Structure formats: C-alpha cells, structure tokens
Amino acid sequence: MLLRIHQVAGAHAGRVLTFDQDVVRLGRMPDSDVAFDAHADLDASGRHAELRRQGEQWILRDAGSRNGTFINGEKVDERLISTGDIIECGFGGPRIRLELIPPREASAAPSANTEAVPMARPNAPTAAAQALPPMDGEPPQSTGPMGADWGAKQSEHPPPVIPPSTHPPPRSAPPAGAPPVSGVPRSAPPPADKKFGQRTVGMMVSEALDGLRQQNESSSRRWKLFAGCLGMLLGVVCIGFAVYVLAKKPAAEPPDVSRISASTRSSLWRLTGADGAVFCTAFAVRRDLVATSGQCVLAVESRQAAGKAVTVVSDDASYPVVRMWRHPETPAAGAMGGIDVGLVEIGGEAPAMATLAGPDQLTHLDDGVTLVVHGYTGASALAQPITLTGAEGVLEYLGAAPYGAPLFDASGAVVGLHGGAPSSPVGPGQGARVEGVLGLLAGLGR
C-alpha cells in the first residue's frame, strides 16, 4: 500500500509527496522524509513522528516530540491511520493529510483486436465481380486478358469510316520578311485611338481605390505604432514611479522601551557565579532552554573547568546548568564577528518564553532602524534603545549593552542578541542575528 502525503498547513503547504518505503519520518531535521521548515514550523520537533508500514496498513508513532502529535485533533502516541486522516505536528504546527493508494497492477493480456485486416484496392476486381453473368444480348466475356475472340469480333464489326473533311487545312503563317501570298488578304492595321471597355475602366478605378486604401492603412498603422510606443513609454514611467513609491519604506516609529521591557522581563534570565555576581544575560526560547552569546557559554565552560558553580537565575527561580551548546562559528573569547550564539539547558522549567522573529520579520533590519536591548548589568535589568549602523551579517550599533541580552524590534520579537566575552558588565555594540539561534535549535531538533 503506497502512502501519499498532502501538506495542508505550514511553510510548505500545497506540496504532495508519495512514498513506497516502509518508514516515513516527519520533522524539521533536513534528513527527514517529510522535512518541515526549520525556521517557520517551530511547533514541530526535529524528530517529530514516523509513519511505518505493516503489511497493507500504516501506523503513526510519535517520536518523543516536544509538542505532541495529533490525528484529527486528538493527541496520540501510536495509532492506525486511514485515508483522509489529518496529522498535526504540535498544536498549531504543520498539518498533513494522508492518502493510502493500492499499487497498480499492470495487465499483461494481449488486445483482442490486434489481428491485421488486409485492405482491398477500390478499383481492383473481385471474385464476385468476375462471376457476374453477361447481360442479355451482350457477347460472352473472355477468360483471357483481352479475350481470345477479340480479333474475330473486331473483324465482324469493323469501325466506321470517317469521311475526309471538306474544309481546307489551316495555313501556317508565312516566315518573317516573306512576300504575301496572293489571294490571301492582309490583316487590317489597328485603329490609331485605343478605346477601353466598361470592364477595363472599372478595373482601373478599383485599382486606384485599392492604392488609396492601402496608403490610408499604411498611414494609420504608422500613427497606431507611434501611439503604441508613446503609451508603452508612459506605462513604463508609471510602473517605475509606482515601484518607487511602494518600495520606499515609511519612516518607522521608535519602539516603546517601557512597554517592551515590561512585556519581556519574565522571559529574561541571568548567569551568575558562585559569588552571585552577574556576568551574562540569557532569555528563554524553550521551557528548558535559554539563549545567550556563544562567548558567554565559553565563560561558563571556563568557570566549570575551574570548579566554580554557575547558576541560571530569574526573578522567581534559580536552576543549575545541565548542558550547553555553542554555534560552530562562535568567535574565540574576546574576538568580534562570527555567529556569537549559544544555548544552555537548565534543570527546571521557564515560566515564559521570548518570541523569536521569523524570516519575514527580519526584512526590516536596515541601517537607521531603532531596536531595544534588554538585559542585566547586575541584579537590576537595563532597557535602552539602540540604532543600527550595519545590518548585513553581524549587527552593528553605537553604544554598549549587556552580554547575551536580546535585541527586540518594535513588535517585541527577538531579532538578535548582544555578543562578546563578559569581561565587563557591558560591551561594545555588536550582535548576532536571530537566525543563528534558530539554526542551533534546528540542529538540536528542538
């Protein structure tokens, strides 16, 4: 039984995939058989679920996904599927519709109408025509090609004799320069004035009218061509002006710092040493994961190697560090550039998560755009506006900010984070775009 998958919701909605294999894997990992978008379909896990063929049936199994797997709105761990079932990977995540297709069996039976039928020539004599009897009074037909008694019949009925014509044969024209033959009158010379008949005059008038009509049509075509070119030129000018007006970005209103800091404070965390001193800011991206700069993760690794404890602290909770990851392109401690992002797994559950901007929300990042940086320089949080001076690759801006602090746009979505090594409470204005965090989450299947 073949399996056909119709994606009805998600970043790749509208695609249709057909499988003839025993296991079909679903998830955001690139090597999945049905791979969801790693940046947009965030409700689906990297290894979310699998469809397994058993005989003529297919069974859906959840692969330990973070947000669960649903069939027709019901959360399941394992379920036998049928045609028309809707599978949802995470509540509100990408959805697919299933279709079970039996394999087609090719028929090897030959066609019943394959015998060739000869075609008869239309004028060829047939046996039936040769067998027809002669008509009354008609001599019998010969069996030979021309008839054995054909000569005898011709002698009995000779052809009629045609008498010679009484008209003299036509005379041939005398050669050029020969004297006229006596008795034959010469042709009269044509009249001096040539006269035209009514038909000839009508043809001449018709030709004159056709010439005038063609001349008018040629002139009309030239005017139409000129008007068409002028219209096309005006159209190009109008389209160019419209594109310029639509492409011109309106002046963005500055973000409301107090509103953004109040709405995002519950998702902020701080990394503290054994003495309680804060050296980095982090923000929750999953219930058990916080994001910070990659160099902050290097600082935690250095402290743990020296036997010093590191704690992840919020206003209401405190958890130990379980595991850490850094982006492969994280620069060395103290260096600038690269994709300076990292993730820290905590031994508890965050009460709130920050909203990560999607690819469509990052198109407005450009020079002159104002963002809000919100982080910890100590026990208290700091929120302040920053203005981008460079947005291609690494984010650049004037001023300093807390290490690992998230950068929010006017809507309150995280578009990047402040990078650098925590050698002081704040560092120079350089950060990493949020795509680094999304890529790291996708690589972990989270």
Side-chain angles (χ1 to χ4, degrees):
M1 187 71 69
L2 305 182
L3 178 64
R4 179 169 294 166
I5 292 178
H6 304 258
Q7 184 161 352
V8 298
H12 301 302
R15 65 175 173 175
V16 180
L17 306 173
T18 303
F19 297 96
D20 187 10
Q21 58 194 50
D22 292 334
V23 179
V24 177
R25 298 174 299 172
L26 314 177
R28 293 198 344 268
M29 294 296 288
D31 60 347
S32 300
D33 299 301
V34 181
F36 301 121
D37 193 286
H39 302 304
D41 299 326
L42 299 180
D43 294 299
S45 298
R47 302 287 188 205
H48 197 99
E50 67 178 19
L51 294 158
R52 185 173 295 273
R53 180 165 55 187
Q54 293 186 357
E56 296 299 323
Q57 297 177 333
W58 285 83
I59 294 179
L60 170 69
R61 291 177 179 171
D62 185 85
S65 63
R66 180 180 67 256
N67 295 323
T69 304
F70 301 81
I71 293 184
N72 301 326
E74 180 183 354
K75 187 175 182 181
V76 298
D77 293 325
E78 182 173 337
R79 176 72 62 85
L80 181 68
I81 65 172
S82 58
T83 295
D85 285 346
I86 300 295
I87 295 179
E88 185 175 13
C89 295
F91 185 76
R95 297 195 303 276
I96 60 175
R97 177 171 56 84
L98 303 179
E99 182 182 359
L100 304 182
I101 307 173
R104 298 179 178 176
E105 298 179 0
S107 174
S111 173
N113 296 324
T114 58
E115 183 179 359
V117 179
M119 298 295 292
R121 292 178 295 138
N123 298 325
T126 61
Q130 294 174 359
L132 291 175
M135 298 178 63
D136 294 340
E138 181 183 357
Q141 298 292 330
S142 167
T143 57
M146 295 297 292
D149 56 346
W150 180 79
K153 295 297 182 180
Q154 292 295 323
S155 61
E156 293 179 2
H157 302 280
V161 179
I162 301 175
S165 174
T166 58
H167 299 280
R171 293 179 179 269
S172 60
V181 182
S182 60
V184 179
R186 299 179 61 181
S187 59
D193 296 333
K194 186 176 180 181
K195 299 182 180 296
F196 297 98
Q198 182 178 0
R199 181 177 180 182
T200 304
V201 173
M203 292 176 61
M204 295 173 63
V205 173
S206 178
E207 291 177 358
L209 293 177
D210 289 341
L212 290 175
R213 184 163 49 250
Q214 292 176 2
Q215 183 178 1
N216 292 335
E217 290 178 355
S218 176
S219 177
S220 176
R221 282 196 298 269
R222 286 195 296 268
W223 277 107
K224 288 181 179 178
L225 181 61
F226 174 75
C229 293
L230 182 60
M232 291 177 60
L233 180 61
L234 292 176
V236 170
V237 172
C238 292
I239 292 175
F241 180 75
V243 171
Y244 169 77
V245 172
L246 294 176
K248 187 177 180 180
K249 296 181 179 179
E253 297 182 1
D256 188 340
V257 177
S258 59
R259 179 186 62 82
I260 292 176
S261 62
S263 62
T264 60
R265 183 182 179 89
S266 59
S267 64
L268 292 183
W269 294 73
R270 50 189 181 270
L271 302 176
T272 63
D275 56 356
V278 177
F279 61 92
C280 269
T281 299
F283 54 97
V285 293
R286 296 290 183 268
R287 291 297 183 184
D288 58 343
L289 288 177
V290 296
T292 186
S293 71
Q295 297 193 44
C296 285
V297 172
L298 283 173
V300 174
E301 292 174 351
S302 177
R303 289 170 182 259
Q304 288 183 337
K308 299 178 180 179
V310 176
T311 306
V312 184
V313 181
S314 70
D315 292 341
D316 302 317
S318 176
Y319 298 116
V321 174
V322 178
R323 285 184 296 178
M324 296 173 294
W325 299 270
R326 287 179 286 108
H327 196 281
E329 298 183 25
T330 298
M336 304 295 285
I339 305 179
D340 193 2
V341 298
L343 294 174
V344 177
E345 183 178 356
I346 60 177
E349 187 171 298
M353 294 183 293
T355 300
L356 303 182
D360 56 335
Q361 294 177 278
L362 300 176
T363 57
H364 68 278
L365 290 181
D366 203 354
D367 296 356
V369 172
T370 302
L371 305 176
V372 173
V373 59
H374 192 194
Y376 287 96
T377 58
S380 59
L382 169 68
Q384 62 183 13
I386 59 171
T387 301
L388 294 179
T389 58
E392 294 295 332
V394 177
L395 299 178
E396 298 178 355
Y397 37 87
L398 300 177
Y403 293 104
L407 306 176
F408 298 95
D409 63 5
S411 69
V414 178
V415 297
L417 57 86
H418 184 74
S423 57
S424 61
V426 295
Q430 182 169 303
R433 296 167 68 98
V434 75
E435 289 100 324
V437 178
L438 295 172
L440 196 55
L441 287 171
L444 299 177
R446 307 289 289 274

